[in-house]
Structure formats: structure tokens, C-alpha cells
């Protein structure tokens, strides 16, 4: 039998021999969240508000989206708590409903990446506590985001981790294009 030669390319990735269950979910969500926060906050304030893609979103808009996305799934979704602006990262009330304007992410000019990063870190701490204190097969509350047949906590964890991974890949492309752009 040969030794496993695979290694993580990122030393912040949780260990491959760590415990299964809640701690693994918390570790992976923390890793993805913090990796995106560090990458976006490493950009200059002007770069944070500059779009490099045809879709038009900016890195600070992505950071705002991550705050609202995690809140939608864990606080409004799993816990069933009401939140002030569940779609506050969008320019429309609910991007899933018909609208007179094209839905897109928005961030007010006075909002900083540092403020959003702190909100996302605080939300991450709350998410970690939630995951550690609920069973993975527990269903989300009815009455917040969900009606009948709400998903399990494990399903929500998979969904949110997949969303973080997609956005991390998108941000990698934006960072690469930005690094190649003339100053």
C-alpha cells in the first residue's frame, strides 16, 4: 500500500484526518469565509468597487452577498428568525420574483469592506455555534425562509459550502484579471 501523496494546496484547509460532523463543517465554512474576506480586504478600496466581469459585480458586492447569503440560510432559514433585510444585498426586494429592474448586487457607497468583513465574521461565529448545537439531520424551522418540507442542517451546510466554493472560484478569476490589468 502506498502512502497518500495528496496534500492541501492551502495550509488553512482543515486537516484531512479531523473529526467528522459539526467540527468539520465549521472548519470548512470558516476556511472558505476567511479566505474570501482576506482576499477582498487585500484589494485597494478602488479595486473593491471595480468590476472586472461582464456581469458587473464588484468584490465588495460579493462580500455583502456572502453576509446576506449566510444569514438567509442559517438565521432566517434554519433558525426561522426574522431578519430585517434578507435580500439586502440586492437592488430589488426579492431577486426570485419578477421586477421592473434587472436584479443585481448593490452596496451603499458609505459601507466599507472592513464593516462587511466584521459582520461576516460575527455571523460565522453564530453559524459555528448553531452547527455545534444542532443535529445534522434536524430540519430547519418552518416560518422563516421555509414553508413545508424544510431542508436539514446538513443539506444547508452542503449548499452554503458549495456557494462559498463557487464564489471563491469567481473571486480568484477577478483577482487574476485585476493583477493583469494595467495600472
Amino acid at each position: 500500500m502506498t502512502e497518500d501523496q495528496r496534500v492541501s494546496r492551502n495550509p488553512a484547509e482543515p486537516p484531512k484526518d479531523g473529526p467528522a460532523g459539526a467540527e468539520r463543517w465549521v472548519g470548512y465554512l470558516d476556511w472558505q469565509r476567511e479566505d474570501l474576506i482576506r482576499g477582498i480586504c487585500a484589494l485597494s478600496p478602488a479595486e473593491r468597487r471595480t468590476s472586472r466581469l461582464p456581469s458587473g459585480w464588484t468584490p465588495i458586492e460579493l462580500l455583502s452577498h456572502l453576509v446576506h447569503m449566510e444569514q438567509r440560510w442559517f438565521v432566517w432559514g434554519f433558525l426561522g428568525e426574522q431578519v430585517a433585510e434578507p435580500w439586502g444585498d440586492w437592488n430589488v426586494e426579492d431577486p426570485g420574483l419578477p421586477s421592473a429592474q434587472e436584479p443585481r448586487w448593490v452596496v451603499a457607497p458609505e459601507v466599507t469592506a472592513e464593516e462587511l468583513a466584521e459582520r461576516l465574521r460575527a455571523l460565522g461565529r453564530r453559524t459555528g455555534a448553531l452547527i455545534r448545537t444542532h443535529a445534522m439531520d434536524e430540519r430547519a424551522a418552518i416560518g422563516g425562509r421555509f414553508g413545508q418540507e424544510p431542508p436539514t442542517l446538513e443539506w444547508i451546510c452542503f449548499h452554503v459550502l458549495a456557494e462559498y466554493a463557487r464564489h471563491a472560484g469567481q473571486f480568484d478569476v477577478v483577482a487574476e484579471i485585476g493583477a493583469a490589468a494595467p495600472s
Side-chain angles (χ1 to χ4, degrees), residues 17-168:
D17 59 349
E23 288 307 316
R24 173 143 308 168
W25 282 113
V26 171
Y28 269 93
L29 289 167
D30 286 351
W31 170 46
Q32 290 292 302
R33 184 185 310 108
E34 193 59 36
D35 199 47
L36 278 157
I37 288 170
R38 275 195 308 269
I40 293 168
C41 288
L43 300 173
S44 72
E47 290 173 312
R48 295 172 188 169
R49 292 187 182 269
T50 300
S51 176
R52 302 275 186 205
L53 300 174
S55 58
W57 62 262
T58 66
I60 196 168
E61 290 169 350
L62 173 59
L63 193 55
S64 173
H65 172 68
L66 296 173
V67 170
H68 289 87
M69 175 274 297
E70 190 163 329
Q71 177 181 259
R72 278 191 292 271
W73 284 106
F74 288 110
V75 179
W76 186 40
F78 185 77
L79 294 174
E81 294 179 10
Q82 295 304 308
V83 296
E85 295 181 280
W87 303 104
D89 49 333
W90 292 89
N91 65 337
V92 295
E93 193 170 316
D94 181 340
L97 299 176
S99 175
Q101 58 183 328
E102 183 69 27
R104 62 165 280 111
W105 295 338
V106 293
V107 174
E110 66 276 6
V111 175
T112 68
E114 290 76 16
E115 291 168 13
L116 291 169
E118 184 47 44
R119 285 179 58 195
L120 187 53
R121 285 180 175 125
L123 184 57
R125 289 187 293 274
R126 186 168 186 200
T127 295
L130 180 157
I131 292 169
R132 287 180 180 105
T133 57
H134 292 271
M136 286 290 124
D137 61 351
E138 185 178 337
R139 292 211 173 262
I142 292 175
R145 181 176 191 170
F146 303 114
Q148 299 303 312
E149 299 185 37
T152 65
L153 178 57
E154 183 177 52
W155 187 95
I156 291 171
C157 288
F158 269 117
H159 181 86
V160 171
L161 184 60
E163 187 150 350
Y164 267 114
R166 268 191 310 281
H167 291 314

